[in-house]
């Protein structure tokens, strides 16, 4: 079975996010001062071949922990969908 | 009213995504060869102060077009939520 995972890897909330801060400041120059609390992270989308959703989830967990995120600075969240083709 | 936008800025599907390709190759070294079609983009989360959802949406559109995405190489998608505090 083919699954699709949509993963967000974001800077931990307690940490400053300098990239987000820079974007937030630039918003003011675009007359968008109503926008704040900007935080920027990564979005990863991938396909998984697995026998069931549980197995797919395990694989995504391993990928997030070992490769996609740095747990000292980032947290991750994801959703898994059945891929219909 | 306070709104929250969750924005994904992803490389256009017709384009090669070298960062995603690199991660896909690394998956093999982690015994995760079942994972493929990896694409990596940005995830941006931000707050908007606006009188209604329509106005919030317009502001997010402007921010995406003028600042957050490069339309030659990237597309964006977003969801807007009412922020309950």
């Amino acid at each position: 079975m083919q699954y699709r995972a949509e993963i967000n890897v974001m800077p931990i909330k307690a940490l400053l996010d300098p990239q987000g801060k820079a974007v937030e400041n630039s918003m003011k120059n675009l007359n968008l001062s109503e926008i704040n609390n900007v935080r920027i992270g990564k979005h990863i989308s991938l396909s998984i071949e697995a026998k069931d959703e549980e197995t797919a989830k395990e694989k995504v967990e391993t990928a997030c922990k070992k490769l996609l995120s740095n747990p000292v600075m980032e947290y991750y969240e994801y959703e898994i969908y059945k891929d219909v083709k």
Side-chain angles (χ1 to χ4, degrees), chain A:
Chain A
M1 199 82 87
Q2 188 82 359
Y3 293 90
R4 186 109 204 121
E6 299 290 335
I7 306 165
N8 290 330
V9 178
M10 300 297 289
I12 286 175
K13 289 198 184 5
L15 290 181
L16 262 181
D17 172 15
Q19 202 188 352
K21 239 343 153 203
V23 166
E24 199 172 317
N25 291 337
S26 306
M27 291 292 181
K28 292 186 183 58
N29 304 328
L30 287 172
N31 289 321
L32 290 170
S33 49
E34 305 87 349
I35 291 182
N36 51 42
N37 288 324
V38 182
R39 294 192 78 82
I40 301 186
K42 284 178 289 185
H43 182 80
I44 301 135
S45 116
L46 47 81
S47 299
I48 317 128
E49 184 63 44
K51 65 178 197 301
D52 53 36
E53 194 164 327
E54 197 51 48
T55 318
K57 202 176 149 179
E58 272 167 33
K59 285 185 203 301
V60 172
E61 276 284 345
T62 312
C64 285
K65 284 213 183 88
K66 294 203 178 162
L67 188 60
L68 300 172
S69 78
N70 168 1
V72 178
M73 299 173 60
E74 295 165 326
Y75 69 94
Y76 58 88
E77 54 193 14
Y78 56 85
E79 280 181 48
I80 293 179
Y81 306 92
K82 197 171 278 184
D83 209 351
V84 275
K85 281 193 176 160

